[in-house]
Amino acid sequence: MSLEGSAARIVFGNGASAKVGPWVEELGCRRALVLSTPHQAAEAEAMAARLGALSAGTFAGAAMHTPVDVTERALSHAQEVGADCVVSLGGGSTTGLGKAMAWRTGIPQIVVPTTYAGSEVTPILGQTENGVKTTLRSPKVTPEVVIYDPELTLGLPVGMSVTSGLNAIAHAAEGLYARDRNPITTLMAIDGMQALKEALPVLVQHPRDLEAREQALYGAWLCGTVLGQISMSLHHKICHTLGGSFDTPHAETHSVMLPHTIGFNASVVPALMEPVSTIFGGATPGQALYDFASSIGAPRSLQEFGLVEADLDRAADIATANPYTNPRPIDRQSIRALLQDAWRGQRPPY
Ligand code: NAD
């Protein structure tokens, strides 16, 4: 069975991020540049201080959707300071920057994820240039080392924990019907969804519950690994369309669309999607996910992101123009109807 797309080394455990230094050395490197978004600049500085003589400082300019101009600035900074590896500390945006640098130069990456997006264990890189988002898949962008430290996720705000967790669940749910799924990706998808189903409601009540943080991060690792192994279908296509062309927020868009896309597809592959109803406890997979997402306070409608009804026509056009493979045949009319339900925030009919 191919393991293409898996990170070379995964470390999981509370306090594991204190061991970044030895991993820099294990990679044969001497000067690590710590990457982050501006929001996590202080955490990046602290990581650089902990690295001591192995630190080449920080670059705190990572941004959503990996803009190419940011990558170019980061690369020239890395060259100036003589960095020979990067430590990406943060969510999918920061991981994306490290991957984009590796794609261009082969620079080794250590990722310390602080959200549940899962990018750290995929060979996928999405980038934007002149307002156009393109995605590539290559083992060259897969990080060499991933360090999951639940303690670093204690401060992830509740709203982001919820939407990021649903983003992870979306990877697993699409893994259940992907044409290139295998028994191992299905096992990981089921276990990953179960872990997040248990952890997220606890985190809504007790955001600093370390055991639930550990369980959620474990689920995110599994769900991200599934994404790295399978091809994406309708759900990811629609989210990429909305994010790329209407600038809707990433994890929140996944949260709103998930019940609608999964329900739509589940109606033609009910046996494959049965684990979703079993785990989330509902009559149908779409309704089970809708009720679960509502119960943990996730956004429910596309209207909340400023989309107007007329945008849905263009979104349906784009989403059906070059569709990804999908278990249920796609036509513009049904995708437009699905978007309408998601825009209104209605409970899906399937
Ligand atoms: P993000 O990385 O954009 O983070 C959002 C904000 O939250 C940032 O300001 C970040 O600094 C902050 N943040 C992150 N962790 C925090 C923490 N623990 N405490 C406080 N603040 C924290 O969000 P994301 O949802 O993780 O990533 C979204 C991006 O990742 C998108 O661009 C998406 O396309 C990409 N992505 C890529 C893949 C892939 O396989 N290539 C998979 C999933 C997501």
Side-chain angles (χ1 to χ4, degrees):
M1 191 169 298
S2 162
L3 279 179
E4 190 187 343
S6 299
R9 299 299 293 265
I10 307 242
V11 189
F12 192 99
N14 288 314
S17 61
K19 303 262 167 54
V20 171
W23 280 106
V24 171
E25 290 175 318
E26 176 83 16
L27 289 174
C29 298
R30 311 286 319 151
R31 289 182 64 74
L33 179 64
V34 183
L35 309 177
S36 76
T37 62
H39 182 74
Q40 288 176 292
E43 287 92 327
E45 290 291 346
M47 173 73 78
R50 223 176 303 139
L51 280 168
L54 292 170
S55 166
T58 64
F59 179 86
M64 188 78 100
H65 305 310
T66 326
V68 168
D69 60 313
V70 173
T71 303
E72 283 164 358
R73 270 195 288 122
L75 281 172
S76 56
H77 182 75
Q79 202 174 13
E80 263 166 42
V81 297
D84 57 8
C85 69
V86 294
V87 174
S88 308
L89 174 69
S93 297
T94 303
T95 304
L97 173 59
K99 285 173 151 182
M101 294 170 76
W103 171 244
R104 287 163 179 77
T105 64
I107 195 166
Q109 312 162 66
I110 298 173
V111 183
V112 186
T114 62
T115 71
Y116 307 133
S119 175
E120 64 281 353
V121 282
T122 80
I124 305 163
L125 168 63
Q127 310 183 85
T128 44
E129 189 166 25
N130 304 322
V132 179
K133 183 164 181 173
T134 53
T135 302
L136 63 86
R137 245 183 141 105
S138 164
K140 198 172 168 188
V141 305
T142 305
E144 279 73 7
V145 178
V146 178
I147 301 179
Y148 286 111
D149 185 346
E151 282 172 8
L152 284 188
T153 62
L154 287 175
L156 186 64
V158 168
M160 271 196 65
S161 302
V162 164
T163 54
S164 193
L166 289 166
N167 183 193
I169 290 168
H171 305 330
E174 285 229 299
L176 292 178
Y177 53 55
R179 66 175 156 74
D180 45 6
R181 68 187 180 279
N182 61 48
I184 303 294
T185 55
T186 297
L187 265 179
M188 289 193 287
I190 292 173
D191 205 27
M193 286 192 292
Q194 182 69 46
L196 285 157
K197 147 72 175 49
E198 287 166 19
L200 294 180
V202 178
L203 292 177
V204 169
Q205 298 299 324
H206 309 286
R208 297 189 68 82
D209 184 314
L210 191 54
E211 221 172 284
R213 285 290 179 194
E214 201 172 323
Q215 193 177 23
L217 202 56
Y218 165 77
W221 169 18
L222 289 176
C223 295
T225 305
V226 172
L227 178 69
Q229 304 273 317
I230 53 105
S231 25
M232 300 171 255
S233 303
L234 178 69
H235 172 78
H236 282 81
K237 175 70 185 184
I238 289 186
C239 291
H240 291 168
T241 300
L242 294 171
S245 303
F246 300 91
D247 209 24
T248 60
H250 177 80
E252 291 86 338
T253 304
H254 275 271
S255 303
V256 168
M257 290 311 307
L258 182 66
H260 300 278
T261 49
I262 299 303
F264 177 83
N265 279 337
S267 58
V268 298
V269 284
L272 292 178
M273 301 310 281
E274 203 254 356
V276 174
S277 324
T278 307
I279 292 169
F280 295 97
T284 66
Q287 292 175 353
L289 286 167
Y290 183 88
D291 294 343
F292 175 69
S294 301
S295 75
I296 54 174
R300 268 188 290 202
S301 77
L302 295 177
Q303 282 184 77
E304 293 170 51
F305 313 140
L307 246 68
V308 295
E309 208 167 351
D311 292 332
L312 305 182
D313 290 323
R314 192 158 71 89
D317 288 340
I318 302 170
T320 51
N322 296 301
Y324 298 177
T325 55
N326 197 58
R328 180 168 167 178
I330 289 169
D331 62 89
R332 191 191 175 284
Q333 200 184 347
S334 44
I335 298 308
R336 177 65 179 78
L338 180 157
L339 284 166
Q340 185 74 31
D341 286 349
W343 183 75
R344 285 208 183 109
Q346 262 168 228
R347 193 167 186 251
Y350 15 66

